[in-house]
Amino acid sequence: MADELTPDELLDKIDYGAPSGDWMDTTKSVQIRPGMYCYAAKAESVETLGLPNARPWNPIEEDWKLPDNWQQILHEGIKERLERFRTFKIFMDVCVRCGACADKCHFFLGTGDPKNMPVLRAELLRSVYRNDFTTAGKILQKIPGGQRLAGARPLTIDVLKEMWYYFFQCTECRRCSVFCPYGIDTAEITIMARELFNLIGLNIDWIATPVSNCYQTGNHLGIQPHAFKDMLEFFVEDLEDITGVDCTPNFQKKGADILFITPSGDVFADPGTYTCQGYLILFKYLKDKYGLDVTWSTYASEGGNFGFFTSHETMKRLNAKMYAEAKRLGVKWILGGECGHMWRVIHQYMDTMNGPADFLEVPVNPITGTRFDNAASTKMVHITEFTADLIKHGKLELDKGRNANRIMTFHDSCNTSRGMGLLDEPRYVIKNVCDNFYEMPPNTIRENTFCCGSGSGLNAGENMELRMAGALPRATALKHVHEKYGVNTLGTICAIDRAALSTLCEYWVPEVEVAGIHELVGNALILPGEKERTEDLRMEPLPGCEEEE
Amino acid sequence: MTIKQCLKDNHNRLLKQWFQATINTYPAQSAKILGKDVDRFDNPVGAVTRETLEDILHLLASDYTADTLEKALDPVIRIRAVQAFSAAEAVSFIFALKDVGETIMDSAFAREFDRMVDQVVLAGFNRLMKCREDIFLLKATESKRRIHAAFERAGLVQELKEEDLLGSKKS
Amino acid sequence: MTQKYLIPLAAVFLLFLVAYTGAGAGLGWFFGIVFPYLAVLAFLVGFVVKVTGWAASAVPFRIPTTCGQQKSLPWIKQNCIDNPDTSSGVILRMLLEIFTFRSLFRNTKAAFNRNASNRITYSWEIFLWVGALAFHYAFLVVILRHFRFFTAPVPSCIQFLEALDGIVQVGLPGLFLSGVVLPAAALFLLARRLFDAKVRYVSQAADFFPLFLILGIAATGISMRYFTKVDIVGIKEMTMGLVTFSPVIPDGIGGLFYGHLFLVSILFAYFPASKLMHLGGVFLSPTRNMANNTRAKRHVNPWNYDVPIHTYQDYEDHFRDKMIEAGLPVEKKE
């Protein structure tokens, strides 16, 4: 394997050595270390969307095969973004380096690398900004030593490599932004930096390939329409075994009430697949009891949007499918599955980018009569909002006992908590389908939640050390409730979490399983005409049925 | 007085200095934060390191085996195995206990104490290897287990021998 | 590293000496009239240019950082301050941010927790909040008090503030609280930068310079009030002359005052080009000053442009046979 360390590499793996006083002095010695970086984007994937500078390259090689005028491209790119984004301009100008954010970053806390302090991560780019775009920087450049005095530096290849390395060690979780007195959001700065990298072809493959797949095939894994359908039909077979009820979903059904879009991870990756089965049970229940017609689509079969980690433009190009498909099918509104960054995009970007969605209706739950005024313009409702509303109105028949073996805690996903504020809806659902629920400590949940360490396209395999180090703060809190209350299930409403937290648990807290909220709903929901269930969705015996095995 | 008694008597001083030496293996700017005695959820590295070192000192002062030592070392080694340390650096903090002991412990125990620390070091290397194996296994099998397992259940891919991959972990 | 704070320190000394000696050498008109006018002009122009510069940049997306429960279903309690969906909520959030440094205060929560061994944990972070609040409020009081030099008669609110500030009634002339708190807080913030390894690591010369400048201003001001006893009548004559645009240079004011005035002028002139502009930036920060209602009310991006997308037709053309074979509905069946 290419990423195994040789003894030599091990010996000179990062040597922090005597800390030099000035972080700029260590730029040259920054090593792009195996285990901490993701592989470079494949040329084909970059070509699919016609993004610049598609070529094979390798971050640990000396030559990154950049265009000759890369400095000019970046300079102009920064200039353009300063005009287009007030956030960027203000965040470049107003930081006072008070240090409040320093120990808020899970990557800093986990790796102990001082360049992972949010303020310093931003300073990597800010130092270039000061050099090229500020009056003080330009004046001070003219005197010897003035550049250093201004905290400025020219954009050299070493500076670029250092930026690349550290901006791909940020998961855009926004935790630092909560504590910043000026609301400086490192996620926003990372988004700009990655957008700039993409101008000269410096994406990572774990982002570029899903983007390319999603664009052409409709989802990150590049699953073709018939395979997508096969997969759901397979779940239907399993569900028939478990419940005795046929939960066959609709595909691309014109005139359905609601279009349902969820991250493809729920369809193709364990344990998200169990969450997916939960959705199928819920929709079957609503269809049989209340006649609600929900359809899936293989064209818009990806809720996630790795374009968000590439550039605003790419995000828009991928996101456009949601409204386009809703319009083509003539549904009333859109329902979105459990996902983190998908919901940041829907909540804070979609309507602005691809709206107005005037061909849709203001979402109303026809069963309860609830009008989702909070989604009046975007016309897309989060499934936990939807389910919480159904439960509140007593429209779902639930048997909590079927989840009695689950002792739950809940991991707030970064994007839904700090980019949306969806905190109590999932908790309400959990408490109605499961009796045992314990919160993790208050400084690690809700708006203070710690990232899983694998967000924003960093959930690759080759950077496992980075991911596990970044996961440490979350794991510490999880381990605490595991030991104190016997928590054995970590609930989450994010597809990346379901994959990443499973790995996190395996390394840090092996006794804990990860489950989506609608997996629990699927277990508890009593379908009309179902047989007596003895197994949960994982085909493990239900509590009380163990002996019958 | 036995060495165990001496260890008990000097527990706090040993812990304090050993902890400081361990935290100083991080860059100074970070050590400042990691060494802080705050809420463990705000500073997991510092808190876990302190607790683990304390456990080891307790173990040394009572009865221990290679197994119990290794188990006790797990939390801190598990962290250092994913940080930017080389294998040597990851366990070097244990050697620091020798220097700390030299200044604190009665010199009559020096040789015996050194031997004790050697046992801790060996246990540390064992645990580090296990953690690194965990990491490489996660790297190798994560996507296969998550994605291909689902495909396989659906009968979309059958040729994959999933059990072989998982089997190596159990052994 | 040392140059990061030694050069700013030396610069402040040098600037003071320039004014001190310059005024003695008959350049009082420059340090007392020309430069203050220029500095105030630079401040005003610079401030306006900077803020309008920010305002000129678009706000393409509505991306507040949400720090509490959103408004969704009517029976779920919204956190109206930390996750506002109306402008009144936003205003409240901004007021709390600006007047109480609410975000910085979040830092301190850990300080009130008990750690695993049930000891109350100790944290420097609360002092960052306290220090920052003390510094900014003391600075504000000092500035307001100085209005007595620019108004005649002195408005009663300024007199009241002065009375409040001198409430401890110690010494003669009476000790002002702000005169103690301001340098103390500034020294604390400086000490943090010098001795806290992480803050020292991220600090730039531009972080030290304003602190030294403010300390220099405070030191000269305090020594004039309490120790060297300058000619207050002459100074007021001069400052009134400045604000009424009929500047005069009375005799016998002394170099110390020119030093003080020059450092203040430097602060004004330096302000717009520095991080001190956080004064203006805090009002404009899009992660704080926007309501979290993007799904309810459409936000318009002024530079939104069309992008190439992979349409359903492209998709169906690509997969039609496979879709038909799998029994998926298609638009064209050939």
Side-chain angles (χ1 to χ4, degrees), chain A residues 109-129:
Chain A
L109 291 175
T111 62
D113 183 341
K115 286 191 182 166
N116 270 326
M117 294 187 216
V119 47
L120 214 92
R121 199 187 312 281
E123 287 281 305
L124 298 177
L125 184 54
R126 222 177 254 130
S127 54
V128 173
Y129 166 80

Side-chain angles (χ1 to χ4, degrees), chain B residues 17-162:
Chain B
Q17 292 193 22
W18 191 20
F19 175 73
Q20 207 46 56
T22 306
I23 285 301
N24 286 344
T25 58
Y26 293 93
Q29 305 82 10
S30 311
K32 163 85 189 173
I33 290 175
L34 302 179
K36 260 198 302 199
D37 184 15
V38 295
D39 186 302
R40 62 176 289 133
F41 306 110
D42 287 334
N43 176 14
V45 173
V48 171
T49 303
R50 192 188 298 272
E51 286 162 15
T52 309
L53 300 190
E54 187 159 18
D55 288 349
I56 296 290
L57 288 175
H58 281 312
L59 263 185
L60 292 180
S62 54
D63 291 324
Y64 62 88
T65 64
D67 274 354
T68 56
L69 277 179
E70 200 185 311
K71 215 171 234 161
L73 276 169
D74 182 84
V76 76
I77 297 276
R78 194 160 284 274
I79 289 175
R80 295 172 77 91
V82 294
Q83 288 174 330
F85 289 100
S86 66
E89 278 174 309
V91 293
S92 64
F93 74 98
I94 307 177
F95 288 101
L97 184 57
K98 285 193 180 179
D99 298 334
V100 171
E102 210 167 284
T103 59
I104 294 175
M105 305 272 291
D106 195 322
S107 57
F109 299 128
R111 209 179 142 73
E112 202 180 343
F113 185 69
D114 274 3
R115 254 195 216 153
M116 272 182 164
V117 177
D118 287 341
Q119 283 172 298
V120 183
V121 171
L122 291 176
F125 269 118
N126 270 346
R127 185 48 57 163
L128 181 72
M129 274 310 291
K130 286 198 181 125
C131 291
R132 293 298 309 168
E133 274 171 18
D134 279 356
I135 287 289
F136 282 115
L137 201 74
L138 287 176
K139 280 189 186 184
T141 62
E142 184 190 43
S143 65
K144 290 191 184 73
R145 261 176 304 125
R146 304 239 178 287
I147 294 167
H148 295 192
F151 283 17
E152 204 178 27
R153 281 198 291 127
L156 294 176
V157 282
Q158 274 151 335
E159 71 279 27
L160 198 82
K161 292 280 185 287
E162 187 60 32

Side-chain angles (χ1 to χ4, degrees), chain A residues 30-93:
Chain A
V30 166
Q31 286 182 30
I32 295 184
R33 211 170 64 80
M36 306 298 274
Y37 79 95
C38 297
Y39 297 151
K42 285 195 204 82
E44 314 82 270
S45 301
V46 178
E47 264 159 11
T48 313
L49 279 89
L51 297 176
N53 202 19
R55 84 276 176 223
W57 66 288
N58 186 346
I60 48 176
E61 276 168 16
E62 185 66 31
D63 179 11
W64 281 15
K65 302 177 189 165
L66 299 172
D68 290 337
N69 61 341
W70 65 270
Q71 278 153 311
Q72 189 199 345
I73 296 175
L74 290 187
H75 182 90
E76 278 159 17
I78 294 173
K79 191 162 172 236
E80 185 182 41
R81 276 154 193 82
L82 288 169
E83 284 157 16
R84 282 189 174 174
F85 296 92
R86 190 181 296 169
T87 42
F88 189 36
K89 203 168 190 178
I90 288 186
F91 296 165
M92 286 295 107
D93 276 327

Side-chain angles (χ1 to χ4, degrees), chain A residues 20-24 26 82-87 89-91 93-100 102 104 114-115 117 119-120 123 130 136 148-149 151 174 177-183 185 188 215-217 224-226 229 251-252 254 298-299 312-313 316-317 320-321 325 328 343-344 346-349 351-353 355-356 370 372-378 380-382 385 388-389 392 417-425 428 443 446-447, chain C residues 1 3-4 7-8 50 53-77 82-83 97 101 103-104 106-107 109-110 113 125 128 136 192-193 197-207 273-278 280-282 284-289 292-301 303-313 315-316 318-319 322-323 326-331:
Chain A
S20 143
D22 196 328
W23 62 264
M24 287 190 201
T26 54
L82 288 169
E83 284 157 16
R84 282 189 174 174
F85 296 92
R86 190 181 296 169
T87 42
K89 203 168 190 178
I90 288 186
F91 296 165
D93 276 327
V94 301
C95 178
V96 299
R97 291 169 288 276
C98 69
K104 303 303 181 287
K115 286 191 182 166
M117 294 187 216
V119 47
L120 214 92
E123 287 281 305
R130 284 194 286 260
R148 192 46 77 88
L149 217 51
R174 303 187 116 192
S177 165
V178 169
F179 296 90
C180 176
Y182 316 110
D185 181 7
E188 190 73 2
Y215 188 68
Q216 283 209 311
T217 320
Q224 302 191 354
H226 53 291
K229 183 163 179 270
F251 290 100
Q252 271 106 307
K254 289 199 174 174
T298 59
Y299 168 62
H312 286 86
E313 186 177 298
K316 183 176 170 176
R317 290 173 71 179
K321 287 180 184 177
E325 186 67 344
R328 187 180 75 87
W343 270 97
R344 172 123 199 258
I346 291 166
H347 184 73
Q348 297 196 323
Y349 295 91
D351 196 4
T352 303
M353 291 186 304
T370 304
F372 293 96
D373 283 318
N374 63 323
S377 177
T378 301
M380 188 149 175
V381 175
H382 192 284
E385 293 171 341
D389 177 55
K392 180 74 179 177
S417 51
R418 287 182 285 258
M420 187 175 176
L422 184 90
L423 305 171
D424 286 328
E425 295 87 344
Y428 181 80
N443 43 346
R446 300 176 78 91
E447 73 274 10
Chain C
M1 176 63 213
Q3 62 171 3
K4 277 192 183 161
I7 291 177
K50 197 90 188 175
W54 287 334
S57 289
V59 183
F61 300 107
R62 192 181 278 274
I63 52 157
T65 308
T66 59
C67 302
Q69 172 61 38
Q70 67 168 350
K71 180 179 192 291
S72 65
L73 298 161
W75 47 272
I76 289 178
K77 194 172 172 292
D82 292 315
N83 194 340
E97 193 63 75
F101 303 177
S103 292
L104 213 47
R106 286 176 194 280
N107 250 334
K109 278 188 182 155
N113 281 345
E125 299 315 324
L128 173 59
H136 284 85
R192 236 183 122 253
R193 288 217 181 269
K198 70 163 198 242
V199 189
R200 184 184 158 112
Y201 186 61
V202 301
S203 292
Q204 297 290 346
D207 298 311
S274 72
K275 69 162 191 174
L276 301 175
M277 277 308 287
H278 65 263
V282 67
L284 285 173
S285 180
T287 55
R288 287 285 187 274
N289 73 4
N292 178 39
N293 59 359
T294 336
R295 263 195 299 158
K297 289 196 187 109
R298 180 158 193 262
H299 178 85
V300 176
N301 173 1
W303 50 261
N304 200 15
Y305 54 88
D306 286 332
V307 293
I309 67 164
H310 194 72
T311 64
Y312 178 78
Q313 280 65 35
Y315 174 83
E316 192 182 300
H318 195 174
F319 291 115
K322 287 173 176 165
M323 289 173 77
L328 286 165
V330 286
E331 302 266 341

